[in-house]
Amino acid sequence: MRLVRSSRLDSLLAKYQSADFTYSELGATRDALPSGYHHMRLRRPVGRGDAEFRRAVDIVVGWDMHRGCGISAVATGPATEGRTVVMAIGRPFGLLVPCRVVYASDEPRRGGFGYGTLPDHPEIGEESFIVSMDADDEVWLEITAFSRAGSPLMKLAGPIARMLQRLALHA
């Protein structure tokens, strides 16, 4: 796991470790998505077999997938239930994105996590990143999210913000 180190993000990590979630539908990306939010789902193949499955899970839970999208991330370890992560998008860390892992999955054919928004996140909601291997040993990445604007800037950005989120999902 390689996380970008930043003294600013490190100091913010301590602040958000005790913060409350900004929404009440914790864990809803596992089941039916709640009404009152924008919903997004993406499922794409990433490989085949046990080795590819384990590699993909390690990338997801080690925050490397986020880093690969140009997001700086500071966490005290891999994505496990209760783990807080502070991310920043843009340079020099223009948009702060604090989250906490709501649930994690570490099963023989399914791994990943879902995290939810904390105060100061530009949105309110939850997003999950799940790697699964089907009966044919095809490995899939599934991203599920529900969100709505959480800051005045995001409310103004509206459709543009959702378009940027979709672009990040397909990166």
Side-chain angles (χ1 to χ4, degrees):
M1 175 180 61
R2 296 180 315 166
L3 298 175
V4 172
R5 303 314 299 177
S6 157
S7 60
R8 176 177 177 238
L9 293 180
D10 281 336
S11 66
L12 288 171
L13 182 60
K15 170 186 173 183
Y16 291 110
Q17 286 183 352
S18 61
D20 292 330
F21 288 100
T22 57
Y23 67 106
S24 60
E25 302 90 344
L26 299 179
T29 52
R30 285 187 286 205
D31 303 311
L33 299 180
S35 61
Y37 294 88
H38 297 282
H39 299 164
M40 292 179 54
R41 293 184 189 270
L42 169 72
R43 184 174 190 251
R44 63 197 248 195
V46 294
R48 179 178 287 289
D50 290 330
E52 227 15 67
F53 169 76
R54 183 49 41 206
R55 185 184 72 79
V57 170
D58 289 347
I59 288 170
V60 167
V61 301
W63 308 107
D64 289 331
M65 185 178 78
H66 288 75
R67 214 176 34 78
C69 294
I71 298 171
S72 300
V74 174
T76 56
T80 56
E81 188 170 332
R83 176 89 60 208
T84 299
V85 60
V86 177
M87 297 170 283
I89 301 170
R91 297 199 195 288
F93 307 120
L95 187 59
L96 186 65
V97 187
C99 297
R100 181 169 305 115
V101 177
V102 177
Y103 63 89
S105 176
D106 185 14
E107 302 168 28
R109 298 178 77 84
R110 184 176 173 81
F113 68 96
Y115 62 23
T117 57
L118 297 174
D120 299 327
H121 193 294
E123 294 185 316
I124 295 170
E126 188 174 291
E127 192 166 13
S128 67
F129 307 89
I130 301 294
V131 177
S132 62
M133 188 165 55
D134 65 21
D136 296 324
D137 291 338
E138 186 77 25
V139 179
W140 297 88
L141 172 63
E142 302 169 56
I143 300 174
T144 304
F146 64 89
S147 64
R148 64 177 173 235
S151 71
L153 177 62
M154 290 303 285
K155 288 177 185 174
L156 286 174
I160 294 169
R162 284 189 296 284
M163 179 190 71
L164 292 173
Q165 186 180 31
R166 287 187 207 293
L167 287 173
L169 285 177
H170 289 84

